[in-house]
């Protein structure tokens, strides 16, 4: 049972344009959501998070939107840069679960110069 | 400030063997979680250690076991290796346990290949 799904295995955008990565979840007990970025031969790096009591969180070029009724979140990167090329993982957790993360399958983002 | 470190980087074993992977958490962190990332998949939670005890466990068989030491470092042991155990094994550390949204920091992982 895949509780967190990222339906797009890959995404390609031009430098300077917006990248939108999507994620859906099925477990309504999840109340905290995170995005991680992963480069080859490195571990995932935390990017941005959002609590279920909010619908938007912004940090520089990165904004995460949460639609609880649709059980959907998205990560917007504006403007996209070639250095953003990496695999992006959506993750979810229940705050009382002691930081146990449930990950999606990941989306490979390629930003072309 | 040293981040999360894992050893070894790569490991090749044959079916039926046993393997031990090691993790040192980020300075100041006391909680260690282990994840398995199969090729093309997202990381899957194996278990979590806090105060030297296994606190949570994912859907993994008893062949997977672990340990946490007084200095908060941790080991992951896998017995009777199967071909399907081939994966990247990630260690993550954080501070605290209950109601914690403290950012988890991941190590670079150990790539295990079972032949």
């Amino acid at each position: 049972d895949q509780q967190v799904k990222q339906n797009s295995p890959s995404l390609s955008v031009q430098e300077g344009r917006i990248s939108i990565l999507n994620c859906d979840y099925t477990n309504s007990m999840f109340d905290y959501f995170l995005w991680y970025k992963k480069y080859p031969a490195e571990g995932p790096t935390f990017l941005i998070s959002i609590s279920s009591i909010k619908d938007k969180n912004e940090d520089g070029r990165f904004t995460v939107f949460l639609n609880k009724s649709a059980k959907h979140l998205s990560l917007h990167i504006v403007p996209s840069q070639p250095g953003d090329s990496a695999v992006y993982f959506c993750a979810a957790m229940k705050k009382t679960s002691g930081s146990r993360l449930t990950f999606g399958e990941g989306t490979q983002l390629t930003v072309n110069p | 400030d040293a981040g999360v470190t894992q050893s070894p980087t790569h490991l090749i074993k044959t079916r039926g063997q046993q393997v031990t992977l090691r993790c040192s958490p980020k300075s100041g962190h006391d909680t260690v979680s282990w994840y398995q990332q199969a090729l093309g998949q997202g990381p899957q939670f194996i278990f979590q250690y806090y105060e030297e005890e296994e606190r949570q466990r994912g859907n993994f068989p008893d062949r997977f076991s672990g340990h946490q030491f007084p200095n908060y470092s941790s080991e992951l042991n896998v017995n009777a290796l199967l071909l399907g155990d081939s994966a990247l094994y990630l260690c993550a550390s954080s501070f605290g346990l209950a109601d914690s949204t403290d950012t988890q920091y991941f190590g670079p992982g150990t790539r295990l290949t079972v032949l």
Side-chain angles (χ1 to χ4, degrees), chain B residues 5-107:
Chain B
T5 59
Q6 292 186 244
S7 62
T9 305
H10 295 90
L11 206 50
I12 299 175
K13 292 285 189 178
T14 56
R15 279 176 296 175
Q17 285 190 310
Q18 179 264 343
V19 67
T20 298
L21 310 182
R22 295 175 176 84
C23 170
S24 290
K26 180 178 168 62
S27 177
H29 285 179
D30 58 6
T31 304
V32 173
S33 300
W34 287 92
Y35 292 81
Q36 180 196 65
Q37 185 182 7
L39 199 62
Q41 300 295 316
Q44 275 198 288
F45 178 80
I46 303 175
F47 43 53
Q48 182 180 72
Y49 277 84
Y50 174 72
E51 292 186 338
E52 301 179 49
E53 288 188 14
E54 182 183 294
R55 298 292 178 161
Q56 290 195 74
R57 188 177 185 91
N59 189 25
F60 280 81
D62 292 344
R63 298 187 297 109
F64 289 76
S65 63
H67 188 78
Q68 186 179 36
F69 299 93
N71 67 353
Y72 308 120
S73 67
S74 176
E75 288 182 349
L76 163 65
N77 301 291
V78 187
N79 294 321
L81 284 167
L82 304 173
L83 295 179
D85 295 332
S86 295
L88 180 69
Y89 288 85
L90 295 163
C91 170
S93 75
S94 57
F95 177 76
L97 189 63
D99 293 337
S100 173
T101 58
D102 185 55
T103 300
Q104 287 193 62
Y105 290 82
F106 283 82

Side-chain angles (χ1 to χ4, degrees), chain A residues 28-96:
Chain A
S28 57
M29 299 299 289
F30 290 142
D31 55 8
Y32 198 72
F33 304 89
L34 309 91
W35 285 93
Y36 279 83
K37 177 170 71 174
K38 187 179 186 301
Y39 294 117
E42 295 182 13
T45 303
F46 170 76
L47 200 54
I48 192 169
S49 62
I50 187 167
S51 169
S52 59
I53 62 173
K54 296 185 175 181
D55 55 17
K56 176 182 174 181
N57 188 28
E58 193 172 350
D59 184 3
R61 297 186 296 115
F62 302 92
T63 303
V64 56
F65 295 92
L66 175 63
N67 182 334
K68 279 181 60 180
S69 60
K71 292 191 178 65
H72 176 84
L73 62 155
S74 60
L75 174 68
H76 292 210
I77 306 174
V78 183
S80 301
Q81 299 174 353
D84 295 330
S85 297
V87 177
Y88 288 77
F89 289 102
C90 169
M93 63 181 279
K94 191 168 60 172
K95 282 189 281 187
T96 55

